[in-house]
Amino acid sequence: MKVHNVTLQDGCGIDVSDHLSMSYSPRAIDWIEHALDPENFTESDVRCVGTRR
């Protein structure tokens, strides 16, 4: 099994997700979708959006 850690703020300075808001962060959800289906949801499909604090 290969593990790839992602820092949500890398490549998206406006994303201020922390451990609590990560569960509903659109960017985190996109990274999960990319990890599960990289052929149909490419890295370029991952949105750069901020979350509200």
Side-chain angles (χ1 to χ4, degrees):
M1 178 188 293
K2 184 178 179 180
V3 175
H4 180 81
N5 290 321
V6 174
T7 302
L8 294 177
Q9 293 79 14
D10 285 353
C12 182
I14 63 171
D15 191 323
V16 293
S17 297
D18 57 17
H19 287 96
L20 295 175
S21 63
M22 197 180 311
S23 62
Y24 56 85
S25 164
R27 186 163 172 82
I29 294 167
D30 284 356
W31 275 114
I32 293 166
E33 190 167 350
H34 169 65
L36 294 173
D37 189 11
E39 290 182 15
N40 294 309
F41 198 89
T42 64
E43 194 168 321
S44 64
D45 293 324
V46 176
R47 296 171 283 177
C48 178
V49 293
T51 55
R52 295 183 180 169
R53 283 192 156 189

Short mmCIF file of all heavy atoms in Angstrom, two decimals:
data_model
loop_
_atom_site.label_atom_id
_atom_site.label_comp_id
_atom_site.label_asym_id
_atom_site.label_seq_id
_atom_site.Cartn_x
_atom_site.Cartn_y
_atom_site.Cartn_z
N MET A 1 0.85 -1.17 0.00
CA MET A 1 0.00 0.00 0.00
C MET A 1 0.90 1.23 0.00
O MET A 1 1.87 1.31 0.73
CB MET A 1 -0.90 0.01 1.23
CG MET A 1 -1.76 1.24 1.30
SD MET A 1 -2.72 1.45 2.82
CE MET A 1 -3.85 0.10 2.71
N LYS A 2 0.55 2.19 -0.82
CA LYS A 2 1.30 3.44 -0.91
C LYS A 2 0.49 4.55 -0.25
O LYS A 2 -0.71 4.69 -0.51
CB LYS A 2 1.57 3.79 -2.37
CG LYS A 2 2.41 5.01 -2.54
CD LYS A 2 2.68 5.27 -4.00
CE LYS A 2 3.51 6.52 -4.15
NZ LYS A 2 3.80 6.81 -5.56
N VAL A 3 1.14 5.34 0.59
CA VAL A 3 0.49 6.45 1.28
C VAL A 3 1.03 7.76 0.71
O VAL A 3 2.22 7.91 0.51
CB VAL A 3 0.75 6.39 2.80
CG1 VAL A 3 0.17 7.60 3.50
CG2 VAL A 3 0.18 5.10 3.37
N HIS A 4 0.13 8.70 0.46
CA HIS A 4 0.52 10.02 -0.05
C HIS A 4 -0.14 11.07 0.83
O HIS A 4 -1.36 11.23 0.81
CB HIS A 4 0.05 10.17 -1.50
CG HIS A 4 0.40 11.49 -2.11
ND1 HIS A 4 1.64 11.75 -2.61
CD2 HIS A 4 -0.33 12.58 -2.30
CE1 HIS A 4 1.66 12.99 -3.07
NE2 HIS A 4 0.46 13.51 -2.90
N ASN A 5 0.66 11.76 1.62
CA ASN A 5 0.14 12.82 2.48
C ASN A 5 -0.07 14.09 1.67
O ASN A 5 0.74 14.44 0.82
CB ASN A 5 1.10 13.11 3.63
CG ASN A 5 1.14 11.98 4.63
OD1 ASN A 5 0.14 11.38 4.93
ND2 ASN A 5 2.32 11.68 5.12
N VAL A 6 -1.16 14.78 1.96
CA VAL A 6 -1.48 16.02 1.27
C VAL A 6 -1.70 17.11 2.32
O VAL A 6 -2.43 16.91 3.28
CB VAL A 6 -2.77 15.87 0.42
CG1 VAL A 6 -3.18 17.19 -0.19
CG2 VAL A 6 -2.58 14.82 -0.65
N THR A 7 -1.07 18.24 2.12
CA THR A 7 -1.34 19.43 2.94
C THR A 7 -2.31 20.28 2.13
O THR A 7 -1.98 20.70 1.01
CB THR A 7 -0.05 20.21 3.24
OG1 THR A 7 0.87 19.34 3.90
CG2 THR A 7 -0.33 21.42 4.11
N LEU A 8 -3.51 20.48 2.64
CA LEU A 8 -4.55 21.15 1.87
C LEU A 8 -4.14 22.55 1.42
O LEU A 8 -4.56 23.01 0.37
CB LEU A 8 -5.84 21.23 2.68
CG LEU A 8 -6.50 19.89 2.98
CD1 LEU A 8 -7.72 20.10 3.86
CD2 LEU A 8 -6.86 19.16 1.72
N GLN A 9 -3.32 23.22 2.19
CA GLN A 9 -2.93 24.59 1.86
C GLN A 9 -1.87 24.64 0.76
O GLN A 9 -1.70 25.67 0.13
CB GLN A 9 -2.44 25.32 3.10
CG GLN A 9 -3.52 25.56 4.14
CD GLN A 9 -3.84 24.34 4.99
OE1 GLN A 9 -3.12 23.36 5.02
NE2 GLN A 9 -4.96 24.39 5.70
N ASP A 10 -1.15 23.55 0.52
CA ASP A 10 -0.16 23.54 -0.56
C ASP A 10 -0.87 23.72 -1.89
O ASP A 10 -1.76 22.95 -2.25
CB ASP A 10 0.63 22.23 -0.58
CG ASP A 10 1.65 22.14 0.53
OD1 ASP A 10 1.85 23.16 1.24
OD2 ASP A 10 2.26 21.07 0.69
N GLY A 11 -0.50 24.74 -2.62
CA GLY A 11 -1.12 25.00 -3.90
C GLY A 11 -2.44 25.76 -3.80
O GLY A 11 -3.07 26.04 -4.81
N CYS A 12 -2.86 26.08 -2.59
CA CYS A 12 -4.12 26.80 -2.40
C CYS A 12 -4.04 27.60 -1.10
O CYS A 12 -4.50 27.14 -0.06
CB CYS A 12 -5.29 25.83 -2.37
SG CYS A 12 -6.89 26.64 -2.22
N GLY A 13 -3.47 28.77 -1.18
CA GLY A 13 -3.26 29.58 0.01
C GLY A 13 -4.52 30.07 0.69
O GLY A 13 -4.49 30.45 1.86
N ILE A 14 -5.66 30.05 -0.01
CA ILE A 14 -6.90 30.54 0.60
C ILE A 14 -7.61 29.47 1.42
O ILE A 14 -8.57 29.76 2.11
CB ILE A 14 -7.87 31.13 -0.44
CG1 ILE A 14 -8.32 30.07 -1.44
CG2 ILE A 14 -7.26 32.33 -1.13
CD1 ILE A 14 -9.45 30.52 -2.35
N ASP A 15 -7.15 28.21 1.33
CA ASP A 15 -7.77 27.14 2.11
C ASP A 15 -7.23 27.20 3.53
O ASP A 15 -6.05 26.99 3.76
CB ASP A 15 -7.50 25.78 1.49
CG ASP A 15 -8.33 24.68 2.12
OD1 ASP A 15 -8.56 24.73 3.34
OD2 ASP A 15 -8.75 23.78 1.39
N VAL A 16 -8.08 27.50 4.47
CA VAL A 16 -7.66 27.61 5.88
C VAL A 16 -8.20 26.44 6.71
O VAL A 16 -8.41 26.57 7.91
CB VAL A 16 -8.10 28.96 6.49
CG1 VAL A 16 -7.37 30.11 5.85
CG2 VAL A 16 -9.61 29.15 6.37
N SER A 17 -8.42 25.31 6.06
CA SER A 17 -8.96 24.14 6.76
C SER A 17 -8.05 23.72 7.90
O SER A 17 -6.83 23.72 7.76
CB SER A 17 -9.11 22.96 5.79
OG SER A 17 -10.01 23.26 4.78
N ASP A 18 -8.67 23.36 9.01
CA ASP A 18 -7.92 22.81 10.13
C ASP A 18 -8.48 21.41 10.38
O ASP A 18 -9.26 20.89 9.59
CB ASP A 18 -8.03 23.70 11.37
CG ASP A 18 -9.48 23.93 11.80
OD1 ASP A 18 -10.36 23.17 11.37
OD2 ASP A 18 -9.72 24.86 12.59
N HIS A 19 -8.07 20.78 11.46
CA HIS A 19 -8.49 19.40 11.71
C HIS A 19 -10.01 19.25 11.84
O HIS A 19 -10.57 18.23 11.46
CB HIS A 19 -7.80 18.86 12.97
CG HIS A 19 -6.37 18.56 12.73
ND1 HIS A 19 -5.37 19.45 13.04
CD2 HIS A 19 -5.76 17.49 12.19
CE1 HIS A 19 -4.21 18.93 12.71
NE2 HIS A 19 -4.41 17.74 12.19
N LEU A 20 -10.69 20.24 12.36
CA LEU A 20 -12.14 20.15 12.53
C LEU A 20 -12.90 20.39 11.24
O LEU A 20 -13.86 19.70 10.94
CB LEU A 20 -12.60 21.12 13.62
CG LEU A 20 -12.10 20.84 15.03
CD1 LEU A 20 -12.55 21.94 15.97
CD2 LEU A 20 -12.60 19.49 15.50
N SER A 21 -12.47 21.37 10.46
CA SER A 21 -13.22 21.71 9.25
C SER A 21 -12.81 20.85 8.05
O SER A 21 -13.47 20.88 7.02
CB SER A 21 -13.03 23.19 8.91
OG SER A 21 -11.68 23.48 8.62
N MET A 22 -11.77 20.06 8.20
CA MET A 22 -11.30 19.23 7.10
C MET A 22 -12.36 18.23 6.63
O MET A 22 -12.43 17.89 5.46
CB MET A 22 -10.05 18.48 7.54
CG MET A 22 -9.24 17.91 6.42
SD MET A 22 -7.78 17.04 7.01
CE MET A 22 -7.05 18.19 8.14
N SER A 23 -13.22 17.80 7.54
CA SER A 23 -14.21 16.78 7.18
C SER A 23 -15.26 17.29 6.19
O SER A 23 -15.90 16.49 5.51
CB SER A 23 -14.89 16.24 8.43
OG SER A 23 -15.59 17.27 9.09
N TYR A 24 -15.44 18.60 6.09
CA TYR A 24 -16.40 19.13 5.12
C TYR A 24 -15.76 20.12 4.15
O TYR A 24 -16.44 20.86 3.46
CB TYR A 24 -17.61 19.76 5.82
CG TYR A 24 -17.29 20.84 6.83
CD1 TYR A 24 -17.11 22.15 6.42
CD2 TYR A 24 -17.17 20.53 8.17
CE1 TYR A 24 -16.82 23.15 7.34
CE2 TYR A 24 -16.87 21.51 9.09
CZ TYR A 24 -16.70 22.82 8.68
OH TYR A 24 -16.39 23.79 9.60
N SER A 25 -14.44 20.12 4.08
CA SER A 25 -13.72 20.98 3.14
C SER A 25 -13.89 20.45 1.72
O SER A 25 -13.58 19.28 1.45
CB SER A 25 -12.23 20.99 3.49
OG SER A 25 -11.46 21.49 2.41
N PRO A 26 -14.38 21.28 0.79
CA PRO A 26 -14.50 20.82 -0.60
C PRO A 26 -13.16 20.35 -1.17
O PRO A 26 -13.12 19.40 -1.94
CB PRO A 26 -15.02 22.06 -1.34
CG PRO A 26 -15.66 22.89 -0.29
CD PRO A 26 -14.88 22.64 0.96
N ARG A 27 -12.09 21.00 -0.79
CA ARG A 27 -10.76 20.62 -1.28
C ARG A 27 -10.36 19.24 -0.74
O ARG A 27 -9.85 18.41 -1.49
CB ARG A 27 -9.73 21.68 -0.89
CG ARG A 27 -8.36 21.43 -1.47
CD ARG A 27 -7.51 22.69 -1.40
NE ARG A 27 -6.14 22.48 -1.78
CZ ARG A 27 -5.71 22.45 -3.03
NH1 ARG A 27 -6.55 22.63 -4.02
NH2 ARG A 27 -4.43 22.25 -3.29
N ALA A 28 -10.62 18.97 0.53
CA ALA A 28 -10.29 17.67 1.10
C ALA A 28 -11.12 16.58 0.44
O ALA A 28 -10.61 15.50 0.11
CB ALA A 28 -10.53 17.68 2.60
N ILE A 29 -12.39 16.86 0.20
CA ILE A 29 -13.26 15.89 -0.46
C ILE A 29 -12.77 15.61 -1.88
O ILE A 29 -12.75 14.46 -2.33
CB ILE A 29 -14.72 16.38 -0.44
CG1 ILE A 29 -15.22 16.41 1.01
CG2 ILE A 29 -15.61 15.52 -1.31
CD1 ILE A 29 -16.51 17.16 1.21
N ASP A 30 -12.32 16.65 -2.57
CA ASP A 30 -11.78 16.45 -3.92
C ASP A 30 -10.53 15.58 -3.89
O ASP A 30 -10.34 14.73 -4.76
CB ASP A 30 -11.46 17.80 -4.57
CG ASP A 30 -12.69 18.52 -5.06
OD1 ASP A 30 -13.81 17.97 -4.97
OD2 ASP A 30 -12.54 19.66 -5.55
N TRP A 31 -9.64 15.79 -2.91
CA TRP A 31 -8.43 14.96 -2.81
C TRP A 31 -8.79 13.50 -2.55
O TRP A 31 -8.16 12.59 -3.07
CB TRP A 31 -7.49 15.48 -1.72
CG TRP A 31 -6.59 16.58 -2.21
CD1 TRP A 31 -6.60 17.88 -1.82
CD2 TRP A 31 -5.54 16.47 -3.19
NE1 TRP A 31 -5.63 18.59 -2.51
CE2 TRP A 31 -4.97 17.73 -3.35
CE3 TRP A 31 -5.06 15.42 -3.95
CZ2 TRP A 31 -3.92 17.99 -4.23
CZ3 TRP A 31 -4.01 15.67 -4.83
CH2 TRP A 31 -3.46 16.93 -4.97
N ILE A 32 -9.81 13.28 -1.75
CA ILE A 32 -10.26 11.90 -1.49
C ILE A 32 -10.80 11.28 -2.77
O ILE A 32 -10.47 10.14 -3.11
CB ILE A 32 -11.31 11.88 -0.37
CG1 ILE A 32 -10.68 12.30 0.96
CG2 ILE A 32 -11.96 10.50 -0.26
CD1 ILE A 32 -11.68 12.63 2.04
N GLU A 33 -11.61 12.04 -3.49
CA GLU A 33 -12.15 11.52 -4.75
C GLU A 33 -11.03 11.21 -5.73
O GLU A 33 -11.06 10.19 -6.42
CB GLU A 33 -13.14 12.52 -5.35
CG GLU A 33 -13.90 11.95 -6.51
CD GLU A 33 -15.10 12.80 -6.91
OE1 GLU A 33 -15.47 13.72 -6.20
OE2 GLU A 33 -15.68 12.48 -7.97
N HIS A 34 -10.03 12.06 -5.80
CA HIS A 34 -8.87 11.83 -6.67
C HIS A 34 -8.13 10.56 -6.25
O HIS A 34 -7.74 9.76 -7.10
CB HIS A 34 -7.93 13.03 -6.64
CG HIS A 34 -6.61 12.76 -7.29
ND1 HIS A 34 -6.48 12.49 -8.63
CD2 HIS A 34 -5.37 12.70 -6.76
CE1 HIS A 34 -5.20 12.29 -8.91
NE2 HIS A 34 -4.52 12.40 -7.78
N ALA A 35 -7.96 10.35 -4.95
CA ALA A 35 -7.27 9.16 -4.46
C ALA A 35 -8.03 7.88 -4.80
O ALA A 35 -7.43 6.85 -5.12
CB ALA A 35 -7.06 9.25 -2.96
N LEU A 36 -9.36 7.95 -4.77
CA LEU A 36 -10.18 6.76 -5.04
C LEU A 36 -10.34 6.48 -6.53
O LEU A 36 -10.53 5.32 -6.92
CB LEU A 36 -11.55 6.93 -4.39
CG LEU A 36 -11.55 6.96 -2.86
CD1 LEU A 36 -12.94 7.30 -2.34
CD2 LEU A 36 -11.06 5.64 -2.30
N ASP A 37 -10.28 7.52 -7.36
CA ASP A 37 -10.50 7.35 -8.80
C ASP A 37 -9.61 8.30 -9.59
O ASP A 37 -10.11 9.24 -10.22
CB ASP A 37 -11.97 7.58 -9.11
CG ASP A 37 -12.35 7.23 -10.54
OD1 ASP A 37 -11.53 6.61 -11.25
OD2 ASP A 37 -13.47 7.57 -10.95
N PRO A 38 -8.29 8.10 -9.57
CA PRO A 38 -7.38 9.05 -10.21
C PRO A 38 -7.52 9.14 -11.73
O PRO A 38 -7.16 10.16 -12.32
CB PRO A 38 -6.00 8.55 -9.81
CG PRO A 38 -6.19 7.11 -9.47
CD PRO A 38 -7.59 6.99 -8.96
N GLU A 39 -8.04 8.11 -12.36
CA GLU A 39 -8.20 8.17 -13.82
C GLU A 39 -9.32 9.09 -14.25
O GLU A 39 -9.24 9.74 -15.28
CB GLU A 39 -8.41 6.76 -14.37
CG GLU A 39 -7.18 5.89 -14.28
CD GLU A 39 -7.41 4.52 -14.88
OE1 GLU A 39 -8.40 4.34 -15.62
OE2 GLU A 39 -6.59 3.63 -14.59
N ASN A 40 -10.39 9.13 -13.47
CA ASN A 40 -11.55 9.95 -13.84
C ASN A 40 -11.64 11.26 -13.07
O ASN A 40 -12.43 12.13 -13.44
CB ASN A 40 -12.84 9.15 -13.64
CG ASN A 40 -12.93 7.98 -14.60
OD1 ASN A 40 -12.75 8.15 -15.79
ND2 ASN A 40 -13.17 6.80 -14.07
N PHE A 41 -10.88 11.39 -12.01
CA PHE A 41 -10.85 12.63 -11.23
C PHE A 41 -9.38 12.97 -11.02
O PHE A 41 -8.75 12.53 -10.06
CB PHE A 41 -11.57 12.45 -9.88
CG PHE A 41 -11.94 13.75 -9.23
CD1 PHE A 41 -13.16 14.34 -9.50
CD2 PHE A 41 -11.06 14.40 -8.38
CE1 PHE A 41 -13.50 15.55 -8.90
CE2 PHE A 41 -11.40 15.60 -7.79
CZ PHE A 41 -12.63 16.18 -8.05
N THR A 42 -8.83 13.74 -11.95
CA THR A 42 -7.39 14.01 -11.95
C THR A 42 -7.03 15.08 -10.91
O THR A 42 -7.91 15.77 -10.37
CB THR A 42 -6.92 14.48 -13.33
OG1 THR A 42 -7.55 15.73 -13.62
CG2 THR A 42 -7.27 13.47 -14.41
N GLU A 43 -5.75 15.21 -10.66
CA GLU A 43 -5.27 16.20 -9.69
C GLU A 43 -5.68 17.61 -10.11
O GLU A 43 -5.93 18.47 -9.27
CB GLU A 43 -3.75 16.09 -9.56
CG GLU A 43 -3.21 16.82 -8.37
CD GLU A 43 -1.76 16.47 -8.10
OE1 GLU A 43 -1.37 15.31 -8.24
OE2 GLU A 43 -1.02 17.41 -7.73
N SER A 44 -5.78 17.85 -11.41
CA SER A 44 -6.18 19.19 -11.88
C SER A 44 -7.66 19.47 -11.60
O SER A 44 -8.10 20.61 -11.68
CB SER A 44 -5.89 19.35 -13.37
OG SER A 44 -6.66 18.43 -14.13
N ASP A 45 -8.44 18.44 -11.26
CA ASP A 45 -9.86 18.62 -10.90
C ASP A 45 -10.04 19.05 -9.45
O ASP A 45 -11.14 19.45 -9.06
CB ASP A 45 -10.65 17.33 -11.12
CG ASP A 45 -10.76 16.95 -12.58
OD1 ASP A 45 -10.88 17.87 -13.41
OD2 ASP A 45 -10.71 15.74 -12.88
N VAL A 46 -8.98 18.99 -8.64
CA VAL A 46 -9.06 19.37 -7.22
C VAL A 46 -9.22 20.89 -7.13
O VAL A 46 -8.39 21.64 -7.64
CB VAL A 46 -7.82 18.90 -6.44
CG1 VAL A 46 -7.87 19.38 -5.01
CG2 VAL A 46 -7.71 17.38 -6.49
N ARG A 47 -10.30 21.32 -6.50
CA ARG A 47 -10.61 22.75 -6.42
C ARG A 47 -9.75 23.46 -5.37
O ARG A 47 -9.35 22.87 -4.38
CB ARG A 47 -12.08 22.96 -6.04
CG ARG A 47 -13.05 22.46 -7.05
CD ARG A 47 -14.44 22.50 -6.51
NE ARG A 47 -14.63 21.35 -5.61
CZ ARG A 47 -15.73 21.13 -4.92
NH1 ARG A 47 -16.73 21.96 -4.98
NH2 ARG A 47 -15.82 20.07 -4.16
N CYS A 48 -9.50 24.73 -5.62
CA CYS A 48 -8.85 25.59 -4.64
C CYS A 48 -9.92 26.52 -4.09
O CYS A 48 -10.29 27.52 -4.71
CB CYS A 48 -7.73 26.40 -5.28
SG CYS A 48 -6.92 27.52 -4.12
N VAL A 49 -10.46 26.13 -2.95
CA VAL A 49 -11.51 26.93 -2.31
C VAL A 49 -11.22 27.04 -0.83
O VAL A 49 -10.66 26.13 -0.23
CB VAL A 49 -12.90 26.31 -2.52
CG1 VAL A 49 -13.33 26.37 -3.96
CG2 VAL A 49 -12.97 24.89 -2.03
N GLY A 50 -11.58 28.14 -0.26
CA GLY A 50 -11.40 28.33 1.18
C GLY A 50 -12.61 27.85 1.96
O GLY A 50 -13.69 27.70 1.41
N THR A 51 -12.41 27.60 3.21
CA THR A 51 -13.51 27.26 4.09
C THR A 51 -13.72 28.41 5.05
O THR A 51 -12.80 29.16 5.36
CB THR A 51 -13.23 25.97 4.89
OG1 THR A 51 -12.00 26.14 5.59
CG2 THR A 51 -13.14 24.77 3.97
N ARG A 52 -14.93 28.55 5.51
CA ARG A 52 -15.23 29.63 6.46
C ARG A 52 -14.85 29.22 7.86
O ARG A 52 -15.03 28.08 8.25
CB ARG A 52 -16.72 29.96 6.42
CG ARG A 52 -17.13 30.53 5.09
CD ARG A 52 -18.59 30.89 5.15
NE ARG A 52 -18.98 31.42 3.85
CZ ARG A 52 -20.21 31.64 3.51
NH1 ARG A 52 -21.18 31.39 4.34
NH2 ARG A 52 -20.49 32.12 2.32
N ARG A 53 -14.36 30.16 8.63
CA ARG A 53 -14.03 29.88 10.03
C ARG A 53 -15.14 30.32 10.91
O ARG A 53 -15.89 31.16 10.66
CB ARG A 53 -12.76 30.61 10.42
CG ARG A 53 -11.56 29.92 9.89
CD ARG A 53 -10.33 30.47 10.52
NE ARG A 53 -9.36 29.40 10.40
CZ ARG A 53 -8.21 29.40 10.97
NH1 ARG A 53 -7.85 30.39 11.72
NH2 ARG A 53 -7.38 28.41 10.82
#
